[in-house]
Amino acid sequence: MITKTAGATMTAGAEQLRQDGHRIEKWAVGWMLLSLTLWAWFGYRLLLDDDRGLFASAEGDRTLMGILALAVIPTIITAATLVYARVLFRLAKAAG
């Protein structure tokens, strides 16, 4: 049997989960902006190196691959934080 105190505790817990979900979602937006910036930088550098030919090697290839690696990491973090925020929202809905 659920008493008023237990119901209030469950509601407070659900509210805390919802607030945490919003906070994590804001972090995800920040990671997304960083990710988009790095992907734009990668695209710019790729288009800048496009005039050298299809199979010609350039000294900027290592730089380009480094930028690609830097762009992939925040993209993965963005996806993980968005999934975590959605899980928190579902937990809040189930607890409330």
Side-chain angles (χ1 to χ4, degrees):
M1 183 168 161
I2 297 177
T3 63
K4 288 184 180 182
T5 308
T9 304
M10 287 176 53
T11 305
E15 182 62 26
Q16 182 64 38
L17 286 172
R18 192 183 63 76
Q19 288 175 356
D20 288 345
H22 283 297
R23 185 174 41 86
I24 295 296
E25 200 170 39
K26 289 177 186 176
W27 274 100
V29 169
W31 281 108
M32 189 182 317
L33 291 175
L34 176 65
S35 176
L36 289 174
T37 302
L38 289 172
W39 279 107
W41 185 27
F42 173 74
Y44 172 75
R45 290 294 303 247
L46 183 66
L47 291 176
L48 190 67
D49 288 345
D50 195 35
D51 59 348
R52 63 180 161 83
L54 185 60
F55 295 108
S57 178
E59 22 182 279
D61 282 347
R62 287 187 179 182
T63 305
L64 198 60
M65 290 301 114
I67 295 170
L68 177 62
L70 285 175
V72 168
I73 292 169
T75 303
I76 293 170
I77 293 172
T78 300
T81 53
L82 283 174
V83 167
Y84 183 57
R86 293 295 165 210
V87 166
L88 288 175
F89 286 135
R90 287 185 184 212
L91 285 173
K93 186 177 179 182

